Structure formats: C-alpha cells, structure tokens
Amino acid sequence: MPTAIIVGSQWGDEGKGKFVDYFAKNTDAVVRFQGGANAGHTLIVNGKKIVLHLIPSGILHDKTQCFIGSGVVIDLFELKNEMEMVKAAGYSIAPERFKIAGQATLVLPFHRELDAARESKHHLGTTKRGIGPAYEDRASRRALLFQDLFSPQLKERLQLLAEEKNSLFEHLYNIPKINIDALYKKLIDIAEYFRPYLMENMSYVLNTWAKEKKNILFEGAQGTLLDIMHGSYPFVTSSSTISTSACLSTGLAPQQVNKVIGIAKAYCTRVGEGPFPTELKNEVGEHLRKEGAEFGATTGRPRRCGWLDLVALKYSVRVNGITSLVLTKLDVLNSFETIKICTHYKINGQETDAFSTSSSLMVEPIYKELKGWNSRINDCRKMDDLPREAREYVQFIEREVGVPIDVVSVGPDRVESIGMTSLF
Ligand code: IMP
C-alpha cells in the first residue's frame, strides 16, 4: 500500500509544496484533495520560483500524473491562468497527465464577491477567494460541479444557484447582481478548454492503482488548525484539512492509506484572525517574519509569527495519525542566541499539554528555552553537518511529540533538505 498523505500540521504555510515536489520524484500520482486557490504552494527548483494554487505540486516531474480530487473547489479562470503559467515555464500540463474529478466544485466569480462582502461586514481574515461561499453551495446541493460544465442542464443549474444569490446581493449586501447570461457564456467558452481534463472515475483509478502498489501522494492544503471540524472554529477554512479528508475527498478507501507525513515549520505562523497562543507581537516576531519572508503566497499579507507550539503539534499528530514529520525552515532560526518552545499551556491556573480548539479560551504558553546555534546551516546536507544545538532542537521536538522527524529543511530550494529522499 504505497500511499502517503501530506498534511500541514499547524496553521498552513508550513512548506507543503516544497515537500510534495521533493517526494513526487518516484511517485506515480499526486492528488490534491481539498481547498482551492486560497492555498499558495511555493516551489523553488534551480533557483526558479513557481507558485501553485490549484495544480498539484507534482507537476514539475514529467512522469508523475497529477489529479485534482472531488474535495477541491476550483476557480476555472484562475486554474486556466495557472495551467498556462506552468506550460510557459516549460512543464507539461497535457490531459494525459493532468485530470480533474468531475465531482469537484466550481468557484464562480460571485463567490469571490460574496466572500469579500462578508469580510467587510464580519472580518475573519479569509483570502477572499470565494472558498467559503463555494463550499456552502456544495453543502446546500446547489453548487455547480466540474462535470456540470459539459451537461445540457448547465444553464438551468446556474440559474437555480444565481437567482438566490441575486436576492442576497440586492437586499443584504448591496452589490451588483449576477448577469446570468453573461456568466453562462463565459462558462460555455471555457468548458471547451477543460473538456479533455475531465475524469469521471477518480476513486476507481486511485483504488485500483493503490491495489497495484503504485505510489500515490495525497497533497493537502492549509493546515490542521484551520480544519472546519477540528480547527479553531470559526477562524478556520471551509474544508477538512486533516489526513482523513484525503479519503473523504477522493474516494480512496481508508485501509489503502499507508503513511501520513506532517509538515511542521520550526516556529509558527498564522494569517487571518483567530487564536495563536505563541504569537510574538514584538521585535522577535518581526525578526522571524523578516528572516522567514513570512508574507502570504496568495494574498501577500504579513503573517503573524511566534515560537513553535508543541501542544498544538501534538494535537496535530494525534488527529492526523501522523507517522513522521518534516521540519521546515530550520534555517530561519539561524540568528537567535536562545530559542523558545512552548511545551504546555496554562489555562485557568492549570498546566496542560492538551490542546483545545475553543477560540475563547485564554491560554498562557509555558516555554522551554534552548540554546540557539547562531550560525548559518543552509549548506548542511546531513544531520551530522548540523551544529549540536540545531540537532538538539530537532531531537527535543521528536521526543516531545513522539514521532520521528525524517527530513529537515534548511532553505527554500528543493536541494536544501536533509534526510530521507523517498517515501516509498
Ligand atoms: P479562506 O480559506 O479563504 O476562507 O480563509 C479562512 C482562513 O484560512 C483565513 O484565516 C485564511 O487566512 C486561512 N487560510 C486559507 N488558506 C490558507 C493557506 O493556504 N495558508 C494559510 N492560511 C490560509
């Protein structure tokens, strides 16, 4: 059963894209399973940067098939631009190797407008990419699916969806109504571009391939603490970001899952609103932001920064069933005399290492202070090359969370990595 799921184990932006690309080399397929163009997966290969929002991060390996699963919400206009960008960068996006599940949900332009209108009334810090409104429509059974683009009922289904929105736009949000005819025409025009990419039987293909022992990598977006069910609700995204979502969102049978790889940054960041116990609203946080270039790949927003939170990470290991971790951006900590790690929270005077997703809970982080290595580690390529303090930092995390750290990342490029090179 050579299947592995890669998930973000914090609040997103852990560096999943780099490691999906890194592990995709010997992989038959990479399947993106949830989220939409709210994600920004940055890949750097030979100094060249590519930012992907919807296309799986396996696309730079020409023998790897790339699939977008049913749980993803797709903005077709954005995806077309991304496909053209990938092609222009010299990579194949041919229908023989890139497929989209017919059951995936469409994000339409008015979903973005609704997301933005809601943000202006009630601020959650969303990416304004229409993600929440699109998932809402999916749950209300009015959404357009990717396969509807090719259906004779497209206009009828669009009307059903848009007419209700128009009433909301006019009476509640005071934003221009949807021109249904114009949008229908745009969808019909773009449908021809996408027709060769339709896959109607993704769960059949994935389960058959898993049984045939093909190597399949499932790529998550965002992070565990943004999960709609297990994150810090309501400050979450609108999909399930945890490992079980890979099955839910693609139709892979759970017993086919063989490994769950958690990507964790060596410190923490968060964009948008919501609780963040180890946040540093001071010059240390500024320093982390500057050293880590912590600005959103999708929105450009400055990310909130803080020390590594092991209470949150243990929770993530638990709810995802993480079998091993990849620790990213260790090099961002190069210039600290001392480094803090949160090992416990104090809640109502009581110490605990049990994470709570309650957004209203006031938690005080309790830290362990470790000596920093205060030197450049970016050229290290083996664990033994790392300074003793950096190795101790890694080992401390492993001991506390109880799973091995198989790879450490010491820079953004694919080659700036230490440890295991293949998952299968
Ligand atoms: P939405 O997913 O755009 O609805 O945003 C909901 C929350 O998830 C906001 O706090 C966003 O900043 C956050 N979010 C969404 N996508 C990402 C991501 O890829 N990385 C980090 N945070 C994200």
Side-chain angles (χ1 to χ4, degrees):
M1 291 187 293
T3 59
I5 301 170
I6 291 197
V7 288
S9 52
Q10 293 151 328
W11 286 270
D13 308 314
E14 298 92 351
K16 294 177 291 296
K18 168 175 169 174
F19 282 95
V20 173
D21 166 68
Y22 178 85
F23 288 124
K25 190 161 169 249
N26 303 317
T27 301
D28 295 294
V30 175
V31 190
R32 168 76 185 272
F33 59 87
Q34 47 71 227
N38 47 350
H41 293 166
T42 305
L43 317 182
I44 301 184
V45 181
N46 301 328
K48 278 203 185 142
K49 176 168 159 178
I50 289 201
V51 181
L52 300 172
H53 299 282
L54 282 159
I55 297 175
S57 304
I59 203 73
L60 309 191
H61 299 272
D62 56 3
K63 293 197 174 57
T64 303
Q65 300 271 316
C66 288
F67 299 153
I68 291 184
S70 308
V72 177
V73 288
I74 302 173
D75 180 327
L76 295 169
F77 306 98
E78 179 112 11
L79 179 56
K80 184 178 173 199
N81 289 340
E82 200 173 306
M83 288 161 72
E84 293 300 316
M85 178 276 288
V86 164
K87 222 191 291 179
Y91 300 99
S92 163
I93 193 85
E96 292 73 41
R97 65 171 304 227
F98 177 51
K99 290 285 179 207
I100 302 167
Q103 289 277 332
T105 304
L106 297 188
V107 178
L108 297 166
F110 59 80
H111 287 127
R112 284 177 175 247
E113 282 163 38
L114 184 54
D115 200 355
R118 288 200 179 129
E119 272 295 293
S120 66
K121 280 187 180 239
H122 181 66
H123 186 63
L124 282 174
T126 77
T127 59
K128 300 185 194 164
R129 294 293 192 275
I131 307 301
Y135 277 116
E136 248 171 73
D137 282 338
R138 178 67 186 233
S140 78
R141 292 153 295 172
R142 284 163 186 267
L144 293 190
L145 305 188
F146 183 62
Q147 65 201 20
D148 292 330
L149 271 186
F150 317 105
S151 152
Q153 270 92 48
L154 176 63
K155 180 95 184 255
E156 212 178 291
R157 298 203 29 83
L158 178 62
Q159 242 149 0
L160 176 76
L161 177 62
E163 274 165 8
E164 192 189 47
K165 289 282 179 305
N166 273 344
S167 159
L168 200 64
F169 284 8
E170 189 178 6
H171 299 295
L172 190 61
Y173 292 109
N174 200 19
I175 48 180
K177 293 206 309 189
I178 304 157
N179 181 333
I180 298 175
D181 288 335
L183 180 54
Y184 174 67
K185 180 163 184 330
K186 276 178 85 173
L187 290 175
I188 287 292
D189 288 347
I190 208 164
E192 284 321 301
Y193 179 89
F194 278 105
R195 193 184 287 276
Y197 296 97
L198 173 67
M199 191 187 231
E200 281 166 338
N201 54 354
M202 199 170 285
S203 80
Y204 177 84
V205 173
L206 293 176
N207 284 290
T208 308
W209 286 11
K211 282 186 194 142
E212 289 169 356
K213 309 235 178 300
K214 288 196 173 166
N215 299 331
I216 314 174
L217 200 55
F218 291 83
E219 176 181 20
Q222 291 84 46
T224 298
L225 298 158
L226 293 175
D227 182 275
I228 182 86
M229 196 64 70
H230 300 284
S232 49
Y233 191 90
F235 303 104
V236 293
T237 190
S238 300
S239 63
S240 175
T241 58
I242 64 174
S243 57
T244 42
S245 174
C247 292
L248 182 73
S249 305
T250 67
L252 179 80
Q255 69 268 35
Q256 301 292 356
V257 178
N258 162 240
K259 287 180 180 174
V260 180
I261 313 300
I263 312 295
K265 195 141 58 178
Y267 50 99
C268 285
T269 61
R270 173 165 202 165
V271 273
E273 302 301 311
F276 182 5
T278 62
E279 181 171 14
L280 295 162
K281 293 182 181 167
N282 55 20
E283 67 286 357
V284 183
E286 281 294 331
H287 187 62
L288 283 171
R289 183 174 308 120
K290 187 163 153 283
E291 291 297 307
E294 294 294 356
F295 295 89
T298 298
T299 59
R301 289 180 290 178
R303 296 177 184 143
R304 299 157 65 192
C305 297
W307 296 120
L308 182 61
D309 182 341
L310 292 181
V311 181
L313 189 56
K314 281 189 211 172
Y315 172 76
S316 188
V317 166
R318 191 161 76 235
V319 295
N320 285 297
I322 287 172
T323 49
S324 75
L325 285 166
V326 171
L327 190 69
T328 61
K329 297 187 104 167
L330 190 64
D331 56 300
V332 173
L333 302 179
N334 280 351
S335 52
F336 286 90
E337 289 291 335
T338 56
I339 299 170
K340 289 185 179 177
I341 302 190
C342 167
T343 56
H344 292 80
Y345 294 159
K346 197 180 251 183
I347 304 176
N348 299 328
Q350 300 271 317
E351 263 189 37
T352 176
D353 70 345
F355 184 82
S356 165
T357 54
S358 164
S359 309
S360 55
L361 220 57
M362 290 301 293
V363 305
E364 185 195 327
I366 299 177
Y367 291 106
K368 160 107 178 150
E369 195 167 277
L370 300 183
K371 200 162 174 298
W373 45 97
N374 215 358
S375 60
R376 199 183 133 79
I377 59 169
N378 307 53
D379 299 321
C380 297
R381 293 292 174 268
K382 296 195 298 292
M383 279 292 185
D384 289 345
D385 294 344
L386 287 174
R388 181 170 50 82
E389 294 82 359
R391 270 182 281 132
E392 281 172 2
Y393 187 74
V394 174
Q395 286 156 0
F396 183 79
I397 300 166
E398 280 184 321
R399 267 200 313 277
E400 288 286 313
V401 300
V403 290
I405 294 175
D406 282 336
V407 186
V408 172
S409 176
V410 291
D413 201 289
R414 196 191 269 166
V415 296
E416 292 173 303
S417 311
I418 298 174
M420 185 174 86
T421 54
S422 174
L423 285 179
F424 305 113

